[in-house]
């Protein structure tokens, strides 16, 4: 008789992260949060700069000022440099993140990868569908279908930082992984749908440059003075090819090795990401926002956002489409893979995070510029719609997350508790005998301290009783 089969363990959705993954996510989110606050400041600065009458002309002048070598086809406006140049750094980091997720993170395990990939795909498909239906029924332009498909992780984390919510690390990691997959598909959308004319000679040159970049990496060649000039050449060729120049950034990021050798504390990809991420989050993305978010804002302009099909489609896509797509994709994946939600969370938490993912600031602004190139008025209106949709999603997410924040704070405190002071949260050491021995020693020291305090208090109380008794005897003798 065959022995009974052991049932497979039930996989948890948003279960506890492994310790290395937790540490990586914590460091990445810390940088992105600071960058998100800078991004928020840059967006507000752009709006003030563009809407104060005395400053409006200077905003236009700076944004349209051209610089760069014209002979190389790179005499671009400051606004153009921010969109095509600085965002290449952002997508370079996104490429490294994606590579790391594929070889060492959550996307390495196909079973674990299903959830964020399906959630991200649904979170892009449903907003595109909402936008398209809105414009088909409203007789608008369907060219902007891709505008509401992106999630801005930095802006979302800035919202979390501003409202002070203690979102559990599993949900933060889900949001980060979701954004990484989201960025990948955004790059594919830009490459496939927003490339009109291709200069195959320049594109071939960029491909040769990427091949050289890959060979140098495999040969173990080191030195920024080798890779930075080569990266600039690749970027310039990619730009002149007609393919959006940010593709060069993500391609180079994907080439970096993100697995560690035995003698390495960090892989080359992790090391370079650690160096470049602050530049991306703290400089590149905020400067892009500064020169892209400056749109005219007035009561009539904001009212028009809800009356034109193109702008209404963007707002509904971000606020409704993103929420429904990500939440629905997550629920369906959990339902059909027979995974159960972590005991610490509820589906309302997933819904709140899905709402937060409706903040589509940076890449949505970029795609808005590409979708309606040549129509400056509609481009500005779509930008205003991105701002309005992102703001609405942020407000709704803030309300939903604040309702559950007391529960999040308790979970966060449990995740961070380190009573044995060894630098590792106690929750990761529950199965180690050494941990319990350390905790026994900690409790013994505490018990000894409490016994000492008890003896001191008892002695003090005894002395007070003796003094009170002596005073009573003296009064008795006087009487």
């Amino acid at each position: 008789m065959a022995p009974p089969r052991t049932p497979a363990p039930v996989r948890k959705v948003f279960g506890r992260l492994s310790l290395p993954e937790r540490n990586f996510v914590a460091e990445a989110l810390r940088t992105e949060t600071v960058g998100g606050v800078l991004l928020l400041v840059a967006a507000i600065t752009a709006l003030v700069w563009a809407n104060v009458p005395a400053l409006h002309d200077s905003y236009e002048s700076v944004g349209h000022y051209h610089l760069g070598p014209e002979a190389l086809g790179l005499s671009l406006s400051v606004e153009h440099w921010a969109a095509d140049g600085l965002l290449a750094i952002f997508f370079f980091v996104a490429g490294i993140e994606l590579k790391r997720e594929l070889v060492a993170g959550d996307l390495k395990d196909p079973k674990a990868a299903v959830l964020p990939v399906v959630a991200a795909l649904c979170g892009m498909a449903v907003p595109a569908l909402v936008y398209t239906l809105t414009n088909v029924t409203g007789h608008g332009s369907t060219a902007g279908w891709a505008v509401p498909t992106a999630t801005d992780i930095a802006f979302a984390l800035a919202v979390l930082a501003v409202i002070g919510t203690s979102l559990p690390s599993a949900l933060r990691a889900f949001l980060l992984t979701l954004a990484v997959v989201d960025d990948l598909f955004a790059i594919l959308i830009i490459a496939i749908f927003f490339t009109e004319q291709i200069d195959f000679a320049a594109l071939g040159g960029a491909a040769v440059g990427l091949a050289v970049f890959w060979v140098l990496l495999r040969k173990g060649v080191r030195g920024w003075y080798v890779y930075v000039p080569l990266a600039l050449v690749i970027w310039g060729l990619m730009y002149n090819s007609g393919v959006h120049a940010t593709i060069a950034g993500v391609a180079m990021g994907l080439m970096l090795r993100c697995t560690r050798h035995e003698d390495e504390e960090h892989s080359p990809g992790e090391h370079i990401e650690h160096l470049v991420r602050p530049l991306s989050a703290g400089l590149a993305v905020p400067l892009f926002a500064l020169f892209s978010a400056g749109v005219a804002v007035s009561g009539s302009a904001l009212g028009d956002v809800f009356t034109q099909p193109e702008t209404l489609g963007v707002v509904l896509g971000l606020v409704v489409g993103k929420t429904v797509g990500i939440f629905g994709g997550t629920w369906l994946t959990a339902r059909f893979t027979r995974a159960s939600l972590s005991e610490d969370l509820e589906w309302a938490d997933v819904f709140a995070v899905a709402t937060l993912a409706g903040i589509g600031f940076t890449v949505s602004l970029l795609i808005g510029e590409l979708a309606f190139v040549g129509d400056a008025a509609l481009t500005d209106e779509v930008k205003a719609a991105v701002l309005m949709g992102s703001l609405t999603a942020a407000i709704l997410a803030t309300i939903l997350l604040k309702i559950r924040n007391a529960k999040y704070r308790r979970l966060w405190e449990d995740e961070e508790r380190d009573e044995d002071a060894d630098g590792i949260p106690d929750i990761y050491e529950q199965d180690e005998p050494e941990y319990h021995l350390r905790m026994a020693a900690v409790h013994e020291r505490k018990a000894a301290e409490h016994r000492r305090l008890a003896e001191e208090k008892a002695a003090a109380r005894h002395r007070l009783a003796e003094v009170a008794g002596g005073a009573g005897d003296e009064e008795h003798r006087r009487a």
Side-chain angles (χ1 to χ4, degrees), residues 234-251:
I234 293 170
W235 177 87
L237 288 168
M238 188 69 75
Y239 175 81
N240 281 288
S241 73
V243 177
H244 201 271
T246 53
I247 305 297
V250 76

Side-chain angles (χ1 to χ4, degrees), residues 13-14 115 118-119 122 174 323-339 341 347 350:
V13 178
F14 306 118
L115 179 65
V118 172
C122 293
F174 172 70
T323 304
V324 173
I326 292 173
F327 179 81
T330 305
W331 186 87
L332 288 172
T333 303
R335 174 71 178 81
F336 287 104
T337 59
R338 297 182 179 179
L341 191 65
W347 283 108
V350 183

Side-chain angles (χ1 to χ4, degrees), residues 99-394:
K99 178 67 172 291
R100 187 202 158 275
E101 288 289 335
L102 289 170
V103 300
D106 286 346
L107 301 183
K108 180 181 179 181
D109 179 6
K111 292 182 179 178
V114 169
L115 179 65
V117 170
V118 172
L121 284 172
C122 293
M124 299 185 83
V126 176
L129 181 62
V130 169
Y131 177 93
T132 302
L133 290 175
T134 303
N135 281 270
V136 167
T137 56
H139 305 291
S141 171
T142 58
W145 63 270
V147 175
T149 60
T151 293
D152 193 318
I153 182 64
F155 214 131
L157 292 173
V159 171
L160 292 178
V162 170
I163 67 178
T165 185
S166 304
L167 200 64
S169 58
L171 287 178
R172 288 175 182 259
F174 172 70
L175 191 60
L176 180 63
T177 306
L178 191 75
V180 170
V181 179
D182 195 293
D183 288 339
L184 169 66
F185 286 109
I187 277 291
L188 292 176
I189 287 172
I190 290 171
I192 296 171
F193 296 100
F194 296 103
T195 299
E196 296 180 355
Q197 294 181 342
I198 297 179
D199 183 330
F200 287 100
L203 184 61
V208 170
L210 287 171
V212 173
F213 189 88
W214 184 84
V215 169
L216 292 175
L217 287 173
R218 291 300 170 273
K219 294 293 184 181
V221 176
R222 297 187 178 185
W224 63 268
Y225 46 83
V226 174
Y227 290 102
V228 172
L230 178 59
L232 291 174
V233 170
I234 293 170
W235 177 87
L237 288 168
M238 188 69 75
Y239 175 81
N240 281 288
S241 73
V243 177
H244 201 271
T246 53
I247 305 297
V250 76
M252 287 184 280
L254 285 169
M255 289 182 181
L256 292 174
R257 176 169 61 83
C258 292
T259 53
R260 301 178 189 177
H261 292 165
E262 290 184 2
D263 58 340
E264 291 179 333
E265 184 178 355
H266 301 288
S267 68
E270 291 172 323
H271 176 67
I272 293 173
E273 181 185 12
H274 179 74
L275 294 176
V276 179
R277 185 188 286 276
L279 178 63
S280 169
L283 181 67
V285 175
L287 280 178
F288 168 74
L290 182 64
F291 292 106
S292 293
V295 295
V297 176
S298 63
S300 59
L302 294 178
D304 290 343
V305 167
F306 299 98
T307 57
Q308 296 187 66
E310 293 88 355
T311 51
L312 180 60
V314 170
V315 173
L316 292 178
L318 289 172
V319 177
V320 179
K322 272 287 183 184
T323 304
V324 173
I326 292 173
F327 179 81
T330 305
W331 186 87
L332 288 172
T333 303
R335 174 71 178 81
F336 287 104
T337 59
R338 297 182 179 179
S340 64
L341 191 65
S342 172
E343 296 88 349
D344 297 327
L345 301 172
E346 298 178 7
W347 283 108
D349 303 314
V350 183
F351 188 85
V353 171
T355 304
L356 187 66
I359 300 174
F361 191 75
T362 303
V363 180
S364 289
L365 290 175
L366 174 62
I367 295 178
E369 293 179 353
L370 298 174
F372 298 104
V373 63
D375 191 337
L378 186 54
T379 298
D380 282 348
E381 291 167 356
V382 167
K383 286 183 179 180
V386 170
L387 294 174
M388 181 61 68
S390 298
L391 178 62
T392 304

